[in-house]
Structures are given as C-alpha cells and as structure tokens.
Amino acid sequence: MDKIESIAEATFTLEHFRRQPPRVLDSNAWLERQSQRESSARSYPRRIPLALVEAHGLYVRDSQGQFFMDCLGGAGTLALGHNHSVAVAAMRQTLDSGLPLHTLDLTTPVKEAFVDELFDCLPPAFASQARVQFCGPTGADAIEAALKLAKIATGRKGVFTFSGGYHGMTHGALSLMGNLGPKNLPGSLMADVQVLPYPYDYRCPFGLGGEAGIDAGLSHIEQLLSDPESGVLPPAALVVEVIQGEGGVIPAPARWLQGLRRLTREHGVVLVIDEVQTGFARTGDLFAFEHAGIEPDVLVLSKALGGGLPLSVIVYREALDQWKPGAHAGTFRGNQMAMAAGTATLRYLRQEGLAAHARAMGQRLMAHLSELQGQYRCIGQVRGRGLMVGVEIVAPPTLGKKAPAADGALAKAIQQQCLREGVILELGGRHGAVVRFLPPLIIQPAEIDVLVEKFQRALSSAVQVESRSA
Ligand code: PLP
C-alpha cells in the first residue's frame, strides 16, 4: 500500500454518509435559538449558519441532511479532519485506562509520551536546548506566556508586531493584532507595541514590491533597532507569523525571515514565531519556519497540537527560562485527552509523510485556482503554501493604481454561494476579501478537483449576481 492509499484508507469518505440515513431536523429552529441565547460577539454562525450533526474526515453533515466539504476545519485545527480513527482511538484508550483526566500540570505517562513526541517533531538542534511550558489551552494564552517569558528574560517591555498579524483575542494578544475592528475598544490595550509593515507583496506597504520591498522592510526594522534617535526603545520580543493566516494568507519571503532572525539576534530581541495555525505539516513542512532555514527563540503552538482538542504550549530556548515558579499558571493545562489525541496525531503526521502530501495537494489546489485566475478578473492573486491557500478577490482595476481594490462584498457572496454548493470556506485579510482554504491534510487529489469545481460554480454564480445588480 503506498502512502496516498494508506492515508485514503484512514480517511472517512463520502461513502460513509451515503450509508447513513440522513437526520433531518429543523436547523432553522436551532439557529434561531442560538441567535437568541448566545452572545452578540458570536462570529462564525453569522457567516456559516449551519447546525451540524455529523462529521468525519473532510466532510460534515448538517441537520437538514446536506453534506459539506469542510475547508475551515476548526480554523485550521483539524489536521486529520473530523473524528479521525487515530485520534479517536487514542482518546478512547485514555478514557478506558483509568488515568486521571485532569492533572493541572502534574505529570502522567500520557504527558510524558506527548512531550517525547513533540520534541521529536522539532528540529533536533532546537529540541536539544528547549523547554516546554503548557499554557491556557488556547493560542492566545500561549502568546501571553511568550510575551511574559521574553519580558522577564530581557528586562525590556516593548514588543514588535506586524500589520495584518493575528495572535488571539486576550488583551496582550489583541494589542499585537493588525485588524482594527476587534482592537477598537474603549480603554487601553498593552502599551509599548510597535506595529511594523509585513511583506505583503501584492500590496507592498512601501509601494515597491519584490526584492526592493523586502529590503525596505528590513532596513526599516534595522533603523528602529539601531538608531539612537529612532524614538523606539529596544523591544523584548518580535512576534511574527511565517504565513499570516487570518491576515489573508500572506507568506513571508524566506529572505525577509532570515533578515528578521539576523536582526533579532544582533539586537538581543527574542524572536517569537507564532505557528498556532501553520504548525504541524499545514504548509508542507512540519513547521513553516523550516522553509526559511531559521529557528525561533520561542515557538508558539496550538490548534493541530491537541489532535482536535484544546491544547497549547510554548517551546523555547533554555537560556530564556528565567521566570519564577507560577509565572504562567492556569487550571486547564493538563488536558490528558488532548495530549493523547495530540501524540497520536503528530505521530501519524510524521509516519504518513503528511507534510509532503500537504505540499503536493496544495500545489494541485493552487494550480487549479491559478487557472481560474486566468478566467475570472475578480481573482487578484492566488497565494499560500501547502494546504493554507488564499484567493484575493478584487474590484476592477483603477487607472494609476498598482493593485485593484479588495472586494470584500464579492468575497462574501462567493462564500455564501460556496455554502450552497456544499463547501465551507472562511474569509480573511483586509476587508474580508481573501477566500481561505484550510482543508484537512488528508484530502485526496480527486477531492481537490471536486472542491475546485464547486468553487468555480460558486464563483460564477456570485459574479453573475453581481453583474446583474450592477
Ligand atoms: N495565533 C495565530 C496565528 C492564530 O491563527 C490564532 C487563531 O486563529 C491564534 C494565535 C489564537 O488562537 P486561539 O484562538 O486558540 O486563542
């Protein structure tokens, strides 16, 4: 059995749903009750108004009996898709073992195995001098831990972050965010945050693009760090995503990342790489930073880490381990089920070579989407790496402007048409104009082809509706 077949064998396919009688329930009533009882801050149900009753692999079924290709995958969490047999078996075994399920941060055989597996995933040189801290269990809490760790180790208070960045919704993490919507709160966020331009080549913040844009970005940071009149105190940390996810699937060029590594090292700044979304084979490498041949000082991990259950950690260079006992605590840092599911998932990812599979599937998806770009003017750019792919939807070009304006309204219409076609996709980026694909890493070539057919039909319908109403 070759690799692809063995991945397919472990994948739950549509056949499963065809064998199951559909459960038809009144989803409108559920959605109505949800809107009456849940907070105004709820987010996904507004754009994806589904009541889900069943899921496996790439597919979910809603209460009306319709199935969907889920390319949101718990916002990139579900590396193996829904209810993968490997993760489920690990959870079941833990339940049946009689081990404590909640242990704060006390150790157990499950935790021991998880740390072994995690360290085996890391580049050996980094792992050999690394410490791990179990966090909240969310990505945002791990970011909070990274900020504290860096501030304590350097004795500095500032943090550098990037436009378009997303690191979570707690006050510290929010202060690093690019998107002004959630950030626009009464009262102050964390002070001493310097927001820097990210190398978004399609809309270069310096108006240069290409190699010149990379040089301008790096020299701007170098100037802030080395000019005694820059007005900015040397920061404790620089926090960066190797590929901005929520910010609109923007991969940073390797040379820019290498430049960040050099500058942070030269100026004693802790390089925090946030791989909450990109981590564990999503981008075609086990970690996205490997593509640039660099290593972080602090690596922030969550999402796929817990095999679909909540778990987050920071892994960092031992020399930074200067905080005191209890400096970052929290009740739910000992989720044994998540550690068991995470261990099984990480092991499976590596055994099955899912990084290479994600790379190949991502190339297939991007090739199809690039063909569509030739046919549809509204596709401004197709970008990404591995199975983290974005399509930027744009308005007609304006004379004198380098890149056409983002068209968030059309992107939203495409997302809604995709739902009708049975595809769940999320939007991101400026004005919500980037349609994002985050399918599970087990997706098969034929499924990629079907996905793109459905996407094309949705795109055509949305464009037709738009042109009729223009
Ligand atoms: N960092 C990145 C890169 C993310 O994409 C996210 C969430 O999408 C977070 C941090 C925050 O994670 P959480 O939502 O678990 O707090």
Side-chain angles (χ1 to χ4, degrees):
M1 188 183 280
D2 71 15
K3 281 275 181 280
I4 298 295
E5 278 174 5
S6 86
I7 294 165
E9 191 269 334
T11 308
F12 210 76
T13 66
L14 264 182
E15 287 309 308
H16 170 83
F17 289 102
R18 297 206 173 104
R19 286 198 298 271
Q20 302 286 315
R23 291 185 212 169
V24 179
L25 301 166
D26 184 359
S27 66
N28 287 337
W30 288 12
L31 293 168
E32 184 54 32
R33 273 155 64 84
Q34 183 181 35
S35 72
Q36 281 165 7
R37 297 197 293 194
E38 289 189 24
S39 140
S40 302
R42 72 190 183 284
S43 57
Y44 292 105
R46 295 179 191 277
R47 301 182 293 282
I48 305 169
L50 301 178
L52 301 177
V53 295
E54 216 178 334
H56 216 113
L58 170 63
Y59 304 97
V60 294
R61 193 209 285 274
D62 80 346
S63 59
Q64 309 287 33
Q66 188 183 355
F67 66 80
F68 298 83
M69 296 177 120
D70 181 6
C71 295
L72 171 58
T77 300
L78 300 170
L80 305 184
H82 292 274
N83 297 330
H84 192 281
S85 57
V86 162
V88 170
M91 291 183 220
R92 229 173 238 138
Q93 205 182 339
T94 310
L95 274 179
D96 293 342
S97 68
L99 281 163
L101 293 178
H102 183 287
T103 67
L104 299 164
D105 57 353
L106 305 180
T107 198
T108 68
V110 172
K111 187 176 200 181
E112 181 69 13
F114 171 76
V115 175
D116 284 347
E117 190 60 42
L118 172 63
F119 275 58
D120 283 350
C121 288
L122 298 169
F126 181 63
S128 68
Q129 296 177 26
R131 294 268 176 156
V132 60
Q133 165 73 23
F134 285 80
C135 302
T138 65
D141 191 66
I143 288 287
E144 299 292 339
L147 296 177
K148 284 192 233 170
L149 179 84
K151 288 181 178 184
I152 292 166
T154 59
R156 299 176 181 170
K157 57 184 181 174
V159 182
F160 282 8
T161 179
F162 292 93
S163 300
Y166 185 95
H167 303 283
M169 286 286 184
T170 49
H171 259 60
L174 190 58
S175 62
L176 309 182
M177 185 184 282
N179 189 342
L180 299 180
K183 218 173 168 173
N184 188 12
L185 294 173
S188 51
L189 290 172
M190 186 175 74
D192 304 305
V193 174
Q194 184 73 28
V195 183
L196 304 169
Y198 193 82
Y200 182 11
D201 194 53
Y202 188 58
R203 303 182 187 282
C204 176
F206 300 98
L208 298 166
E211 297 300 312
I214 297 174
D215 287 335
L218 288 174
S219 74
H220 177 55
I221 299 171
E222 183 153 29
Q223 186 269 337
L224 286 183
L225 290 172
S226 50
D227 176 3
E229 293 275 344
S230 72
V232 179
L233 289 168
L238 179 147
V239 184
V240 67
E241 292 159 272
V242 174
I243 301 178
Q244 285 189 338
E246 306 302 306
V249 194
I250 308 174
R255 191 165 73 78
W256 183 80
L257 291 162
Q258 288 154 5
L260 286 191
R261 180 61 285 185
R262 176 180 58 78
L263 290 171
T264 47
R265 193 166 280 138
E266 283 172 9
H267 293 271
V269 179
V270 175
L271 177 61
V272 178
I273 298 194
D274 179 347
E275 294 242 15
V276 166
Q277 193 163 130
T278 48
F280 302 110
R282 167 67 53 194
T283 66
D285 290 292
L286 217 42
F287 299 102
F289 64 75
E290 292 175 279
H291 186 76
I294 60 164
E295 281 178 8
D297 297 317
V298 181
L299 178 59
V300 185
L301 298 169
S302 186
K303 293 204 192 269
L305 179 73
L309 297 184
L311 193 62
S312 77
V313 298
I314 54 171
V315 189
Y316 55 91
R317 279 195 306 109
E318 206 160 25
L320 297 171
D321 198 36
Q322 294 172 34
W323 48 6
K324 297 277 181 291
H328 193 76
T331 306
F332 289 107
R333 292 176 303 131
N335 187 338
Q336 301 294 296
M337 294 278 275
M339 289 180 204
T343 305
T345 299
L346 304 193
R347 191 173 295 148
Y348 185 83
L349 278 178
R350 291 198 302 143
Q351 276 170 0
E352 295 294 324
L354 281 188
H357 181 71
R359 208 177 308 137
M361 292 304 99
Q363 280 162 2
R364 189 179 185 101
L365 177 57
M366 298 228 328
H368 283 318
L369 294 171
S370 300
E371 267 175 41
L372 294 187
Q373 190 182 3
Q375 299 166 39
Y376 294 86
R377 179 217 39 80
C378 66
I379 298 186
Q381 197 178 41
V382 175
R383 56 179 182 251
R385 197 176 308 137
L387 285 170
M388 188 164 172
V389 173
V391 174
E392 181 154 348
I393 304 299
V394 296
T398 321
L399 267 181
K401 291 254 178 183
K402 272 192 180 153
D407 192 342
L410 182 55
K412 199 169 167 191
I414 294 168
Q415 182 189 36
Q416 295 312 307
Q417 291 292 348
C418 278
L419 270 185
R420 284 185 198 109
E421 289 289 336
V423 176
I424 301 174
L425 291 166
E426 182 50 319
L427 304 179
R430 271 72 172 179
H431 311 289
V434 179
V435 181
R436 305 185 55 208
F437 294 78
L438 285 167
L441 310 183
I442 48 150
I443 193 168
Q444 296 300 300
E447 291 171 322
I448 295 272
D449 300 347
V450 172
L451 173 63
V452 177
E453 277 167 29
K454 287 172 178 283
F455 179 69
Q456 180 172 9
R457 278 201 297 274
L459 190 60
S460 292
S461 311
V463 169
Q464 271 167 26
V465 170
E466 193 194 44
S467 58
R468 274 202 298 272
S469 60

